[in-house]
Amino acid sequence: MDVLKKIPVREQDAKERAANFAEVCLGYNKEEAMEEASRCINCKNAQCIKGCPVSINIPGFIEKVKEGNIEEAYQIISESSALPAVCGRVCPQESQCEGKCIRGIKGDPISIGKLERFVADWARENGIKPAGATEKKGKKVAVIGSGPAGLTCAGDLAKMGYDVTIFEALHEAGGVLVYGIPEFRLPKEEVVAKEIENVKSLGVKIETNVVVGKSVTIDELMEEEGFSAVFIGSGAGLPKFMGIPGENSNGVFSANEYLTRSNLMKAFDEESNTPIMRGKKVAVVGGGNVAMDAARTALRLGAEVHIVYRRSEEELPARVEEVHHAKEEGIIFDLLTNPVEILADDNGWVTGMKCIRMELGEPDESGRRRPVEVAGSEFVMDLDTVIMSLGTSPNPLISSTTEGLETNKWKCIVADEANGKTTKEGVYAGGDAVTGAATVILAMGAGKAAAKGIDEYLSGK
């Protein structure tokens, strides 16, 4: 075995998977996982832990995988993470734990994410649950939103002995894990639902179809329902648009709506009660992970799909793995291209998109080279569907119905990064509701920090 090279991970064939919604990556089996784990040199000053937003004891769990003690490996991960099967699939490990791996200096970093996934899947298949609280605190905490921030905060508080209830606006728990990430990247029933069951096994209660700000307010939860503290993990579900002519045409979607219909409403199923428009030629505007998810979903629904992005491939914010998979599946990348108008027929249906070519100029304040229009380079793409994937912002419903809760100019809740404390006594917040759209693992890190903050607040520390 070459210790400088990681053990390859099996995947579905690109042509086959482009026509189905089954998971792309097939993961390690036990022998492969143990072999990959044996590449770890178990650093004393483990940089990988510093790269993990929830501070998993990575060398500790990998050492147990190396020994073949998968149950113990799972319990080590569960001390820090409520959603290991999710994180093993969707975390950007290459820029976090694996990006800090010492092995990666002279060879391939350890496949930490794939090992985490293997351990979590093995535990699920063998009925292993995370360890719960040994004593109860006798205090109630409300958690708003059942996405990664809410589930993490709730799980950690339950392990500390608090009586936790999650309030979820939609009819199914999971937040972005169920409505935003496609089945082929994150199976819903097999993975997400089981991870949520694990959180519930700690004693967490989940109430769905509760829109906080309409069904009940935060003030009512605290003053009338007896909750001693509240965590807001409501995410950022409000889509952004470009503001170009024709954007209100029929056949223009936000990526949020498109993915929610497909994932949560099962619109990829012909029998679904909430069908989705199956375009023949689709453009997805944007270059992040959500754009890749929308493009790869549209492809599986039978379309020719173009990613339209105004910068070059080097600036694509999506994970390298997602871009690689999209290309393998046949998605066309129209880079250095910017839409200026969406064209429609007399009935208001999309017929095309007028675009202009771009070139990269001087770096802007973010350090990326600013795209500049190339004069006289306009052209028209013939299309029947346009999906806008330009990011999202928090829905202002909660902040506008809560006395004393401060927001910033982007309508994000103002909260202390270290402990999630907001400007309202006893109310904490984290994840996309505070930062704007970010990653699952960063939301989990915020949920974890807030759980610690809430415990310190309620314990009078």
Side-chain angles (χ1 to χ4, degrees), residues 139-145 150 153-154 157 162-167 205 212 216-218 220-222 225-233 426-428 454 458:
K139 289 182 179 174
K140 287 167 62 178
V141 180
V143 171
I144 301 167
C153 187
L157 287 168
Y162 291 99
D163 180 354
V164 186
T165 304
I166 295 176
F167 297 98
K205 298 178 280 295
V212 174
V216 65
T217 65
I218 286 178
E220 286 167 351
L221 287 173
M222 299 182 83
E225 303 285 338
F227 288 96
S228 304
V230 175
F231 172 73
I232 304 168
V427 177
Y428 292 71
I454 290 168
L458 295 178

Side-chain angles (χ1 to χ4, degrees), residues 49-267:
I49 299 177
K50 295 175 186 172
C52 173
V54 294
S55 304
I56 291 170
N57 178 1
I58 293 167
F61 100 74
I62 290 180
E63 188 63 29
K64 294 301 175 188
V65 174
K66 202 184 291 187
E67 295 167 8
N69 188 347
I70 313 305
E71 183 172 349
E72 189 62 32
Y74 176 71
Q75 294 302 349
I76 290 171
I77 295 173
S78 294
E79 286 169 14
S80 304
S81 174
L83 307 167
V86 170
C87 289
R89 287 168 165 84
V90 304
C91 266
Q93 288 97 3
E94 65 279 1
S95 62
Q96 292 176 166
C97 53
E98 292 179 19
K100 296 267 196 295
C101 177
I102 300 299
R103 260 275 180 244
I105 294 171
K106 288 188 175 175
D108 293 341
I110 306 300
S111 285
I112 298 167
K114 299 295 187 284
L115 289 175
E116 181 182 20
R117 170 193 162 142
F118 163 74
V119 170
D121 288 356
W122 184 94
R124 182 182 69 245
E125 287 156 14
N126 287 276
I128 309 299
K129 299 280 185 190
T134 49
E135 56 183 76
K136 298 293 182 189
K137 293 268 175 57
K139 289 182 179 174
K140 287 167 62 178
V141 180
V143 171
I144 301 167
S146 63
L151 289 169
T152 299
C153 187
D156 277 17
L157 287 168
K159 286 178 195 169
M160 293 171 191
Y162 291 99
D163 180 354
V164 186
T165 304
I166 295 176
F167 297 98
E168 168 55 50
L170 296 176
H171 63 279
E172 205 171 304
V176 71
L177 306 175
V178 292
Y179 71 72
I181 302 174
E183 187 76 13
F184 52 82
R185 278 220 294 140
L186 187 62
K188 304 296 166 256
E189 287 178 24
E190 188 188 327
V191 175
V192 179
K194 297 292 195 301
E195 296 270 75
I196 292 169
E197 284 303 316
N198 282 346
V199 172
K200 287 167 79 173
S201 76
L202 299 168
V204 174
K205 298 178 280 295
I206 301 180
E207 292 189 24
T208 54
N209 299 309
V210 180
V211 182
V212 174
K214 278 199 169 176
S215 315
V216 65
T217 65
I218 286 178
D219 293 319
E220 286 167 351
L221 287 173
M222 299 182 83
E223 292 162 18
E224 297 171 25
E225 303 285 338
F227 288 96
S228 304
V230 175
F231 172 73
I232 304 168
S234 50
L238 208 58
K240 295 177 183 174
F241 288 90
M242 291 185 74
I244 58 175
E247 222 166 16
N248 291 331
S249 304
N250 299 322
V252 179
F253 294 86
S254 69
N256 224 30
E257 180 193 352
Y258 193 82
L259 289 168
T260 301
R261 276 177 177 268
S262 179
N263 297 332
L264 190 60
M265 313 295 188
K266 306 287 185 277

Side-chain angles (χ1 to χ4, degrees), residues 276-328:
I276 197 164
M277 188 175 145
R278 291 172 179 253
K280 292 186 172 63
K281 191 168 180 184
V282 176
V284 178
V285 181
N289 289 326
V290 176
M292 300 304 144
D293 286 345
R296 295 171 69 198
T297 297
L299 180 86
R300 283 159 172 76
L301 292 172
E304 175 191 305
V305 185
H306 295 247
I307 289 269
V308 178
Y309 182 62
R310 66 194 188 124
R311 287 183 159 100
S312 71
E313 184 163 347
E314 279 179 28
E315 285 83 23
L316 279 170
R319 291 181 71 190
V320 172
E321 181 179 62
E322 299 308 314
V323 175
H324 169 68
H325 282 156
K327 283 183 173 178
E328 273 190 333

